[in-house]
Every structure is written in structure tokens, then in C-alpha cells.
Amino acid sequence: MRYLSLILTIPVAVLAVLFAVSNRGIVTFSLWPTPFTVDAPVYLATLVFLVVGFVFGGVITWLGQGRHRRRGRVMADRVAILERDLKDAQVRAATAEKRLAELNKPVSGQPRAAVPAAPAVAAAPAPAALPGSPTVH
């Protein structure tokens, strides 16, 4: 984005300087119902109006983006609240795990014996083949 800004700004600045050098004639500005008149070089009047237009456009854009900035602030506040709630939940979970470990600690100090595994069921022997019956391979 920084390079794009330079690519656009440098040619515009060069054009503004060339315009100022080429248009040094004097022009008179007057606003009809008022008696005021202003004599100014053409380049100065043009550049002043361009700058005023740029600032005015920036203000309009800034005002138009207000709801997005407000939404960003609200979301940032919400993230902060949720992060605080998460830390509180983690502390409560750690406390609960510690308490559970204390409750499961044996009273005598000896570790509990492991529960013996269920005895394995012996597989029934395969029936013997009858004499004269075909064998399956």
C-alpha cells in the first residue's frame, strides 16, 4: 500500500508543479451578491480549490465510516470481555481439577490398586470333523 501511495502521489505532485509554472496569469474572483473581489494567480486558485475539495471529501468519508469505527470499538470491547471470561473459566477449571485430585487421593497414603482386568473367556474348541464329511480349506 505504501508503494501504491508513492506511485500515485509523485506523478500528481509533478503535474501540480507543472500546472503552477504554466499558469501564472492573474484572474479576478468575485461572488455576485457581495462586493468582494480577489485577484489571484490561476494556479493558486485552482490548487486551493483542489485542496479544499480533497479535505471536504476526506471529511465526508470519515463521517460515513463512523458506524464501522463504532462497530469496531464495540467488537474490541466484546473481545476483551470474552477474554476475561475465558481466563476466569480457566482459573475455575484449574481449581476444580485440583480439588478433584485432592478428593481422589487415598486416605491411607497408599496408591489405590489397579482394578484387575476381567478374566479372558476361553474360546470354545472347534467341533471335530465327522468321519466322511468334506473338509473346507
Side-chain angles (χ1 to χ4, degrees):
M1 189 69 183
R2 182 177 172 183
Y3 294 116
L4 180 63
S5 175
L6 285 176
I7 289 171
L8 293 175
T9 303
I10 291 174
V12 169
V14 169
L15 287 174
V17 168
L18 290 175
F19 179 80
V21 170
S22 300
N23 295 294
R24 290 182 286 166
I26 300 295
V27 68
T28 302
F29 291 98
S30 64
L31 190 57
W32 169 62
T34 63
F36 304 111
T37 61
V38 176
D39 292 334
V42 174
Y43 74 88
L44 183 62
T46 305
L47 292 178
V48 165
F49 284 120
L50 284 175
V51 168
V52 168
F54 176 77
V55 169
F56 184 71
V59 168
I60 294 297
T61 302
W62 184 76
L63 291 174
Q65 298 297 321
R67 66 175 178 228
H68 299 295
R69 289 191 307 277
R70 186 178 330 109
R71 185 169 185 236
R73 286 190 301 269
V74 167
M75 290 298 166
D77 293 343
R78 185 174 179 194
V79 166
I81 290 169
L82 290 174
E83 285 177 344
R84 188 180 65 230
D85 290 348
L86 176 63
K87 287 180 183 178
D88 291 344
Q90 288 172 339
V91 167
R92 285 193 312 263
T95 304
E97 286 178 2
K98 182 189 270 187
R99 187 162 184 232
L100 183 63
E102 289 173 359
L103 291 175
N104 286 334
K105 188 184 289 185
V107 177
S108 65
Q110 295 293 328
R112 292 183 181 172
V115 177
V121 177
L130 297 174
S133 63
T135 57
V136 179
H137 296 293

